Amino acid sequence: MTRTDRLTAAPIALLVLLCALWGFQQVTVKLGVAGGFPPVLLAGARSAAAAVLLIGWIVARNGAASLRGMCAPGILRPGLLIGVIFAAEFLLLFPGLALTTASRGVLFLYTAPFFTALGAHLFLPAERLRPRQALGLVIAFAGLLFAFADGLRGGGGSLLGDAMCCGSGLLWGVVTVMVKANKGLRTVPAAQLLLFQIGASAPVVLAAAWLVGDFAHPLQITPLAWLCFAYQSVIVTFASYLAWFWLVTRYQAAAVSGFTFLAPLFGIAAGAAVLGETATPALLLGVAAVAVGMRFLR
């Protein structure tokens, strides 16, 4: 795979599309839970469905033998580790979204670029922050403080839900940095890299769903909730994450992650249009500060 640090028009357009899909994802999680899906079960089921699709994709393109490379020395263990971290990310995100609003949840989830840039600075010598980028992190952090303060003043959602979504963003950043830092994982094609995460995370999250009692009672799931499940499984977890990990393995981590500041803007718009949520001035100020800060990371 040819790698480059330069983001041209095509990858930038792809990043914007991904951000739009991810911003709307938070709305579909809320709708799916409201339509009968327990949040942990929804997270596990969508990963399992996407893993089946991804295996079919890999086998169709490269043959079943291509899956054996995932078991190579120096690849299997770190691959399974990022799968477990990926599971923890969604064990925080989906229950967190059940507690807070989609607008707030999407902001705190997309703190991931902040943590990615900080982690890259600490652990990737080739991606240390320049003064302009460090200033961007400070501005973005100030935006997060605005948003958390808004929640403490009763701006909607819950402090616990906000913190869980922010923790999910932290883990997303950890996974991105781990992929860039590990020599073995850097050689893994994007599809196999994604399979490590959703394939390893699916049984972990489904086991957690069983432990919390999501399978204890018959489920009554609405057609709209099934549609949201299909969106999250096929469009988000399979297609968009596949594109994301291709970008992560090809371009500089901070530059790619910095574009995800757009996702909260799409998420707030989707939350207002579909769920009727109202973003407070303090939340919008927080989003603006995060957007400016992440823009500096490019």
Side-chain angles (χ1 to χ4, degrees), residues 180-213:
K180 298 290 288 187
N182 186 275
K183 293 181 179 179
L185 293 178
R186 288 203 305 268
T187 67
V188 177
Q192 282 89 332
L193 188 63
L194 176 57
L195 183 57
F196 267 127
Q197 293 174 77
I198 61 176
S201 69
V204 174
V205 180
L206 288 174
W210 179 78
L211 287 173
V212 300

PDB file of all heavy atoms in Angstrom, residues 180-213:
ATOM      1  N   LYS A 180      -1.508   2.900  14.210  1.00  0.00           N
ATOM      2  CA  LYS A 180      -0.394   3.607  13.602  1.00  0.00           C
ATOM      3  C   LYS A 180       0.948   3.228  14.237  1.00  0.00           C
ATOM      4  O   LYS A 180       1.982   3.235  13.563  1.00  0.00           O
ATOM      5  CB  LYS A 180      -0.596   5.118  13.716  1.00  0.00           C
ATOM      6  CG  LYS A 180      -1.829   5.652  13.004  1.00  0.00           C
ATOM      7  CD  LYS A 180      -1.679   5.586  11.500  1.00  0.00           C
ATOM      8  CE  LYS A 180      -0.711   6.592  10.974  1.00  0.00           C
ATOM      9  NZ  LYS A 180      -0.679   6.644   9.497  1.00  0.00           N
ATOM     10  N   ALA A 181       0.937   2.894  15.533  1.00  0.00           N
ATOM     11  CA  ALA A 181       2.187   2.659  16.256  1.00  0.00           C
ATOM     12  C   ALA A 181       2.711   1.239  16.085  1.00  0.00           C
ATOM     13  O   ALA A 181       3.919   1.009  16.216  1.00  0.00           O
ATOM     14  CB  ALA A 181       1.996   2.953  17.746  1.00  0.00           C
ATOM     15  N   ASN A 182       1.833   0.283  15.820  1.00  0.00           N
ATOM     16  CA  ASN A 182       2.264  -1.112  15.745  1.00  0.00           C
ATOM     17  C   ASN A 182       2.714  -1.471  14.330  1.00  0.00           C
ATOM     18  O   ASN A 182       1.946  -1.335  13.376  1.00  0.00           O
ATOM     19  CB  ASN A 182       1.102  -2.017  16.177  1.00  0.00           C
ATOM     20  CG  ASN A 182       1.509  -3.472  16.261  1.00  0.00           C
ATOM     21  OD1 ASN A 182       1.502  -4.202  15.271  1.00  0.00           O
ATOM     22  ND2 ASN A 182       1.873  -3.907  17.465  1.00  0.00           N
ATOM     23  N   LYS A 183       3.935  -1.944  14.188  1.00  0.00           N
ATOM     24  CA  LYS A 183       4.471  -2.251  12.862  1.00  0.00           C
ATOM     25  C   LYS A 183       3.685  -3.346  12.170  1.00  0.00           C
ATOM     26  O   LYS A 183       3.471  -3.305  10.961  1.00  0.00           O
ATOM     27  CB  LYS A 183       5.943  -2.650  12.981  1.00  0.00           C
ATOM     28  CG  LYS A 183       6.864  -1.519  13.419  1.00  0.00           C
ATOM     29  CD  LYS A 183       8.311  -1.986  13.486  1.00  0.00           C
ATOM     30  CE  LYS A 183       9.232  -0.850  13.905  1.00  0.00           C
ATOM     31  NZ  LYS A 183      10.649  -1.301  13.997  1.00  0.00           N
ATOM     32  N   GLY A 184       3.268  -4.356  12.939  1.00  0.00           N
ATOM     33  CA  GLY A 184       2.507  -5.440  12.341  1.00  0.00           C
ATOM     34  C   GLY A 184       1.157  -4.984  11.829  1.00  0.00           C
ATOM     35  O   GLY A 184       0.758  -5.304  10.702  1.00  0.00           O
ATOM     36  N   LEU A 185       0.430  -4.198  12.640  1.00  0.00           N
ATOM     37  CA  LEU A 185      -0.894  -3.753  12.240  1.00  0.00           C
ATOM     38  C   LEU A 185      -0.834  -2.799  11.050  1.00  0.00           C
ATOM     39  O   LEU A 185      -1.773  -2.742  10.257  1.00  0.00           O
ATOM     40  CB  LEU A 185      -1.605  -3.077  13.421  1.00  0.00           C
ATOM     41  CG  LEU A 185      -1.971  -3.996  14.595  1.00  0.00           C
ATOM     42  CD1 LEU A 185      -2.629  -3.191  15.704  1.00  0.00           C
ATOM     43  CD2 LEU A 185      -2.869  -5.131  14.143  1.00  0.00           C
ATOM     44  N   ARG A 186       0.267  -2.057  10.919  1.00  0.00           N
ATOM     45  CA  ARG A 186       0.387  -1.132   9.789  1.00  0.00           C
ATOM     46  C   ARG A 186       0.473  -1.875   8.454  1.00  0.00           C
ATOM     47  O   ARG A 186       0.228  -1.287   7.404  1.00  0.00           O
ATOM     48  CB  ARG A 186       1.610  -0.231   9.962  1.00  0.00           C
ATOM     49  CG  ARG A 186       1.451   0.817  11.044  1.00  0.00           C
ATOM     50  CD  ARG A 186       2.386   2.004  10.807  1.00  0.00           C
ATOM     51  NE  ARG A 186       3.776   1.597  10.675  1.00  0.00           N
ATOM     52  CZ  ARG A 186       4.643   1.526  11.683  1.00  0.00           C
ATOM     53  NH1 ARG A 186       4.247   1.815  12.907  1.00  0.00           N
ATOM     54  NH2 ARG A 186       5.898   1.172  11.479  1.00  0.00           N
ATOM     55  N   THR A 187       0.836  -3.151   8.506  1.00  0.00           N
ATOM     56  CA  THR A 187       0.939  -3.928   7.269  1.00  0.00           C
ATOM     57  C   THR A 187      -0.363  -4.649   6.922  1.00  0.00           C
ATOM     58  O   THR A 187      -0.471  -5.232   5.847  1.00  0.00           O
ATOM     59  CB  THR A 187       2.054  -4.985   7.390  1.00  0.00           C
ATOM     60  OG1 THR A 187       1.679  -5.973   8.369  1.00  0.00           O
ATOM     61  CG2 THR A 187       3.366  -4.343   7.806  1.00  0.00           C
ATOM     62  N   VAL A 188      -1.339  -4.611   7.814  1.00  0.00           N
ATOM     63  CA  VAL A 188      -2.597  -5.338   7.607  1.00  0.00           C
ATOM     64  C   VAL A 188      -3.526  -4.511   6.723  1.00  0.00           C
ATOM     65  O   VAL A 188      -3.729  -3.321   6.978  1.00  0.00           O
ATOM     66  CB  VAL A 188      -3.276  -5.629   8.961  1.00  0.00           C
ATOM     67  CG1 VAL A 188      -4.625  -6.315   8.756  1.00  0.00           C
ATOM     68  CG2 VAL A 188      -2.373  -6.497   9.822  1.00  0.00           C
ATOM     69  N   PRO A 189      -4.092  -5.108   5.678  1.00  0.00           N
ATOM     70  CA  PRO A 189      -5.060  -4.371   4.847  1.00  0.00           C
ATOM     71  C   PRO A 189      -6.237  -3.869   5.675  1.00  0.00           C
ATOM     72  O   PRO A 189      -6.568  -4.440   6.727  1.00  0.00           O
ATOM     73  CB  PRO A 189      -5.515  -5.418   3.817  1.00  0.00           C
ATOM     74  CG  PRO A 189      -4.398  -6.399   3.757  1.00  0.00           C
ATOM     75  CD  PRO A 189      -3.830  -6.456   5.143  1.00  0.00           C
ATOM     76  N   ALA A 190      -6.878  -2.809   5.199  1.00  0.00           N
ATOM     77  CA  ALA A 190      -7.943  -2.164   5.965  1.00  0.00           C
ATOM     78  C   ALA A 190      -9.072  -3.126   6.319  1.00  0.00           C
ATOM     79  O   ALA A 190      -9.609  -3.083   7.430  1.00  0.00           O
ATOM     80  CB  ALA A 190      -8.492  -0.975   5.168  1.00  0.00           C
ATOM     81  N   ALA A 191      -9.453  -4.008   5.399  1.00  0.00           N
ATOM     82  CA  ALA A 191     -10.570  -4.914   5.663  1.00  0.00           C
ATOM     83  C   ALA A 191     -10.246  -5.870   6.808  1.00  0.00           C
ATOM     84  O   ALA A 191     -11.073  -6.089   7.708  1.00  0.00           O
ATOM     85  CB  ALA A 191     -10.913  -5.696   4.398  1.00  0.00           C
ATOM     86  N   GLN A 192      -9.041  -6.441   6.791  1.00  0.00           N
ATOM     87  CA  GLN A 192      -8.658  -7.342   7.872  1.00  0.00           C
ATOM     88  C   GLN A 192      -8.492  -6.602   9.191  1.00  0.00           C
ATOM     89  O   GLN A 192      -8.801  -7.126  10.260  1.00  0.00           O
ATOM     90  CB  GLN A 192      -7.363  -8.075   7.515  1.00  0.00           C
ATOM     91  CG  GLN A 192      -7.558  -9.237   6.542  1.00  0.00           C
ATOM     92  CD  GLN A 192      -7.468  -8.800   5.088  1.00  0.00           C
ATOM     93  OE1 GLN A 192      -7.766  -7.658   4.760  1.00  0.00           O
ATOM     94  NE2 GLN A 192      -7.038  -9.698   4.215  1.00  0.00           N
ATOM     95  N   LEU A 193      -8.008  -5.369   9.108  1.00  0.00           N
ATOM     96  CA  LEU A 193      -7.862  -4.557  10.312  1.00  0.00           C
ATOM     97  C   LEU A 193      -9.223  -4.303  10.955  1.00  0.00           C
ATOM     98  O   LEU A 193      -9.391  -4.399  12.176  1.00  0.00           O
ATOM     99  CB  LEU A 193      -7.190  -3.228   9.950  1.00  0.00           C
ATOM    100  CG  LEU A 193      -6.780  -2.324  11.101  1.00  0.00           C
ATOM    101  CD1 LEU A 193      -5.745  -3.002  11.969  1.00  0.00           C
ATOM    102  CD2 LEU A 193      -6.237  -1.012  10.547  1.00  0.00           C
ATOM    103  N   LEU A 194     -10.206  -4.001  10.139  1.00  0.00           N
ATOM    104  CA  LEU A 194     -11.555  -3.793  10.661  1.00  0.00           C
ATOM    105  C   LEU A 194     -12.130  -5.088  11.213  1.00  0.00           C
ATOM    106  O   LEU A 194     -12.824  -5.081  12.233  1.00  0.00           O
ATOM    107  CB  LEU A 194     -12.454  -3.232   9.557  1.00  0.00           C
ATOM    108  CG  LEU A 194     -13.928  -3.037   9.909  1.00  0.00           C
ATOM    109  CD1 LEU A 194     -14.097  -2.116  11.119  1.00  0.00           C
ATOM    110  CD2 LEU A 194     -14.699  -2.488   8.717  1.00  0.00           C
ATOM    111  N   LEU A 195     -11.837  -6.214  10.547  1.00  0.00           N
ATOM    112  CA  LEU A 195     -12.366  -7.496  11.016  1.00  0.00           C
ATOM    113  C   LEU A 195     -11.840  -7.827  12.399  1.00  0.00           C
ATOM    114  O   LEU A 195     -12.566  -8.415  13.219  1.00  0.00           O
ATOM    115  CB  LEU A 195     -12.013  -8.603  10.021  1.00  0.00           C
ATOM    116  CG  LEU A 195     -12.574  -9.995  10.341  1.00  0.00           C
ATOM    117  CD1 LEU A 195     -14.099  -9.953  10.463  1.00  0.00           C
ATOM    118  CD2 LEU A 195     -12.143 -11.000   9.284  1.00  0.00           C
ATOM    119  N   PHE A 196     -10.586  -7.497  12.670  1.00  0.00           N
ATOM    120  CA  PHE A 196     -10.070  -7.700  14.017  1.00  0.00           C
ATOM    121  C   PHE A 196     -10.979  -7.012  15.037  1.00  0.00           C
ATOM    122  O   PHE A 196     -11.291  -7.577  16.087  1.00  0.00           O
ATOM    123  CB  PHE A 196      -8.659  -7.113  14.144  1.00  0.00           C
ATOM    124  CG  PHE A 196      -7.560  -8.098  13.874  1.00  0.00           C
ATOM    125  CD1 PHE A 196      -6.566  -7.808  12.948  1.00  0.00           C
ATOM    126  CD2 PHE A 196      -7.507  -9.305  14.544  1.00  0.00           C
ATOM    127  CE1 PHE A 196      -5.537  -8.711  12.708  1.00  0.00           C
ATOM    128  CE2 PHE A 196      -6.482 -10.205  14.306  1.00  0.00           C
ATOM    129  CZ  PHE A 196      -5.499  -9.910  13.380  1.00  0.00           C
ATOM    130  N   GLN A 197     -11.404  -5.816  14.708  1.00  0.00           N
ATOM    131  CA  GLN A 197     -12.142  -5.020  15.687  1.00  0.00           C
ATOM    132  C   GLN A 197     -13.595  -5.465  15.840  1.00  0.00           C
ATOM    133  O   GLN A 197     -14.057  -5.738  16.942  1.00  0.00           O
ATOM    134  CB  GLN A 197     -12.040  -3.547  15.311  1.00  0.00           C
ATOM    135  CG  GLN A 197     -10.612  -3.072  15.468  1.00  0.00           C
ATOM    136  CD  GLN A 197     -10.401  -1.667  14.992  1.00  0.00           C
ATOM    137  OE1 GLN A 197     -10.762  -0.727  15.666  1.00  0.00           O
ATOM    138  NE2 GLN A 197      -9.807  -1.529  13.832  1.00  0.00           N
ATOM    139  N   ILE A 198     -14.309  -5.554  14.738  1.00  0.00           N
ATOM    140  CA  ILE A 198     -15.717  -5.927  14.888  1.00  0.00           C
ATOM    141  C   ILE A 198     -15.863  -7.423  15.149  1.00  0.00           C
ATOM    142  O   ILE A 198     -16.778  -7.851  15.861  1.00  0.00           O
ATOM    143  CB  ILE A 198     -16.556  -5.489  13.668  1.00  0.00           C
ATOM    144  CG1 ILE A 198     -16.062  -6.141  12.377  1.00  0.00           C
ATOM    145  CG2 ILE A 198     -16.560  -3.984  13.547  1.00  0.00           C
ATOM    146  CD1 ILE A 198     -16.938  -5.805  11.179  1.00  0.00           C
ATOM    147  N   GLY A 199     -14.939  -8.242  14.591  1.00  0.00           N
ATOM    148  CA  GLY A 199     -15.012  -9.670  14.819  1.00  0.00           C
ATOM    149  C   GLY A 199     -14.708 -10.043  16.255  1.00  0.00           C
ATOM    150  O   GLY A 199     -15.365 -10.909  16.845  1.00  0.00           O
ATOM    151  N   ALA A 200     -13.690  -9.409  16.836  1.00  0.00           N
ATOM    152  CA  ALA A 200     -13.331  -9.690  18.225  1.00  0.00           C
ATOM    153  C   ALA A 200     -14.290  -9.021  19.198  1.00  0.00           C
ATOM    154  O   ALA A 200     -14.536  -9.540  20.292  1.00  0.00           O
ATOM    155  CB  ALA A 200     -11.902  -9.223  18.497  1.00  0.00           C
ATOM    156  N   SER A 201     -14.834  -7.870  18.814  1.00  0.00           N
ATOM    157  CA  SER A 201     -15.707  -7.143  19.737  1.00  0.00           C
ATOM    158  C   SER A 201     -17.112  -7.743  19.817  1.00  0.00           C
ATOM    159  O   SER A 201     -17.748  -7.675  20.874  1.00  0.00           O
ATOM    160  CB  SER A 201     -15.805  -5.675  19.328  1.00  0.00           C
ATOM    161  OG  SER A 201     -16.518  -5.519  18.119  1.00  0.00           O
ATOM    162  N   ALA A 202     -17.594  -8.339  18.720  1.00  0.00           N
ATOM    163  CA  ALA A 202     -18.968  -8.842  18.697  1.00  0.00           C
ATOM    164  C   ALA A 202     -19.248  -9.844  19.818  1.00  0.00           C
ATOM    165  O   ALA A 202     -20.222  -9.673  20.572  1.00  0.00           O
ATOM    166  CB  ALA A 202     -19.290  -9.441  17.332  1.00  0.00           C
ATOM    167  N   PRO A 203     -18.429 -10.907  19.979  1.00  0.00           N
ATOM    168  CA  PRO A 203     -18.737 -11.837  21.077  1.00  0.00           C
ATOM    169  C   PRO A 203     -18.601 -11.210  22.452  1.00  0.00           C
ATOM    170  O   PRO A 203     -19.342 -11.568  23.382  1.00  0.00           O
ATOM    171  CB  PRO A 203     -17.718 -12.974  20.874  1.00  0.00           C
ATOM    172  CG  PRO A 203     -16.644 -12.405  20.025  1.00  0.00           C
ATOM    173  CD  PRO A 203     -17.303 -11.390  19.155  1.00  0.00           C
ATOM    174  N   VAL A 204     -17.665 -10.270  22.609  1.00  0.00           N
ATOM    175  CA  VAL A 204     -17.495  -9.609  23.900  1.00  0.00           C
ATOM    176  C   VAL A 204     -18.741  -8.802  24.250  1.00  0.00           C
ATOM    177  O   VAL A 204     -19.278  -8.879  25.367  1.00  0.00           O
ATOM    178  CB  VAL A 204     -16.255  -8.698  23.881  1.00  0.00           C
ATOM    179  CG1 VAL A 204     -16.160  -7.897  25.185  1.00  0.00           C
ATOM    180  CG2 VAL A 204     -14.989  -9.515  23.678  1.00  0.00           C
ATOM    181  N   VAL A 205     -19.231  -8.018  23.294  1.00  0.00           N
ATOM    182  CA  VAL A 205     -20.390  -7.170  23.554  1.00  0.00           C
ATOM    183  C   VAL A 205     -21.660  -8.012  23.709  1.00  0.00           C
ATOM    184  O   VAL A 205     -22.510  -7.728  24.558  1.00  0.00           O
ATOM    185  CB  VAL A 205     -20.556  -6.124  22.435  1.00  0.00           C
ATOM    186  CG1 VAL A 205     -21.773  -5.234  22.696  1.00  0.00           C
ATOM    187  CG2 VAL A 205     -19.302  -5.260  22.328  1.00  0.00           C
ATOM    188  N   LEU A 206     -21.807  -9.065  22.914  1.00  0.00           N
ATOM    189  CA  LEU A 206     -22.976  -9.935  23.048  1.00  0.00           C
ATOM    190  C   LEU A 206     -22.971 -10.654  24.394  1.00  0.00           C
ATOM    191  O   LEU A 206     -24.036 -10.850  25.008  1.00  0.00           O
ATOM    192  CB  LEU A 206     -23.024 -10.939  21.904  1.00  0.00           C
ATOM    193  CG  LEU A 206     -23.388 -10.351  20.529  1.00  0.00           C
ATOM    194  CD1 LEU A 206     -23.248 -11.414  19.443  1.00  0.00           C
ATOM    195  CD2 LEU A 206     -24.814  -9.790  20.531  1.00  0.00           C
ATOM    196  N   ALA A 207     -21.785 -11.046  24.861  1.00  0.00           N
ATOM    197  CA  ALA A 207     -21.698 -11.650  26.193  1.00  0.00           C
ATOM    198  C   ALA A 207     -22.106 -10.643  27.265  1.00  0.00           C
ATOM    199  O   ALA A 207     -22.810 -10.988  28.232  1.00  0.00           O
ATOM    200  CB  ALA A 207     -20.275 -12.156  26.450  1.00  0.00           C
ATOM    201  N   ALA A 208     -21.691  -9.391  27.095  1.00  0.00           N
ATOM    202  CA  ALA A 208     -22.091  -8.347  28.038  1.00  0.00           C
ATOM    203  C   ALA A 208     -23.606  -8.135  27.999  1.00  0.00           C
ATOM    204  O   ALA A 208     -24.238  -7.924  29.045  1.00  0.00           O
ATOM    205  CB  ALA A 208     -21.364  -7.046  27.710  1.00  0.00           C
ATOM    206  N   ALA A 209     -24.200  -8.215  26.804  1.00  0.00           N
ATOM    207  CA  ALA A 209     -25.655  -8.083  26.680  1.00  0.00           C
ATOM    208  C   ALA A 209     -26.368  -9.190  27.438  1.00  0.00           C
ATOM    209  O   ALA A 209     -27.394  -8.967  28.087  1.00  0.00           O
ATOM    210  CB  ALA A 209     -26.051  -8.103  25.202  1.00  0.00           C
ATOM    211  N   TRP A 210     -25.823 -10.402  27.363  1.00  0.00           N
ATOM    212  CA  TRP A 210     -26.412 -11.519  28.099  1.00  0.00           C
ATOM    213  C   TRP A 210     -26.280 -11.295  29.598  1.00  0.00           C
ATOM    214  O   TRP A 210     -27.228 -11.547  30.370  1.00  0.00           O
ATOM    215  CB  TRP A 210     -25.740 -12.820  27.682  1.00  0.00           C
ATOM    216  CG  TRP A 210     -26.270 -14.025  28.414  1.00  0.00           C
ATOM    217  CD1 TRP A 210     -27.436 -14.697  28.185  1.00  0.00           C
ATOM    218  CD2 TRP A 210     -25.623 -14.677  29.519  1.00  0.00           C
ATOM    219  NE1 TRP A 210     -27.560 -15.733  29.080  1.00  0.00           N
ATOM    220  CE2 TRP A 210     -26.464 -15.752  29.906  1.00  0.00           C
ATOM    221  CE3 TRP A 210     -24.428 -14.470  30.202  1.00  0.00           C
ATOM    222  CZ2 TRP A 210     -26.148 -16.607  30.953  1.00  0.00           C
ATOM    223  CZ3 TRP A 210     -24.102 -15.310  31.257  1.00  0.00           C
ATOM    224  CH2 TRP A 210     -24.958 -16.364  31.609  1.00  0.00           C
ATOM    225  N   LEU A 211     -25.130 -10.802  30.045  1.00  0.00           N
ATOM    226  CA  LEU A 211     -24.897 -10.594  31.471  1.00  0.00           C
ATOM    227  C   LEU A 211     -25.831  -9.536  32.054  1.00  0.00           C
ATOM    228  O   LEU A 211     -26.259  -9.649  33.208  1.00  0.00           O
ATOM    229  CB  LEU A 211     -23.439 -10.191  31.709  1.00  0.00           C
ATOM    230  CG  LEU A 211     -22.400 -11.302  31.538  1.00  0.00           C
ATOM    231  CD1 LEU A 211     -20.987 -10.728  31.645  1.00  0.00           C
ATOM    232  CD2 LEU A 211     -22.602 -12.410  32.578  1.00  0.00           C
ATOM    233  N   VAL A 212     -26.154  -8.508  31.278  1.00  0.00           N
ATOM    234  CA  VAL A 212     -27.035  -7.453  31.790  1.00  0.00           C
ATOM    235  C   VAL A 212     -28.511  -7.774  31.571  1.00  0.00           C
ATOM    236  O   VAL A 212     -29.376  -6.972  31.906  1.00  0.00           O
ATOM    237  CB  VAL A 212     -26.695  -6.088  31.158  1.00  0.00           C
ATOM    238  CG1 VAL A 212     -25.261  -5.692  31.464  1.00  0.00           C
ATOM    239  CG2 VAL A 212     -26.947  -6.083  29.654  1.00  0.00           C
ATOM    240  N   GLY A 213     -28.797  -8.944  31.001  1.00  0.00           N
ATOM    241  CA  GLY A 213     -30.186  -9.374  30.888  1.00  0.00           C
ATOM    242  C   GLY A 213     -30.910  -8.976  29.626  1.00  0.00           C
ATOM    243  O   GLY A 213     -32.136  -9.049  29.571  1.00  0.00           O
TER     244      GLY A 213
END
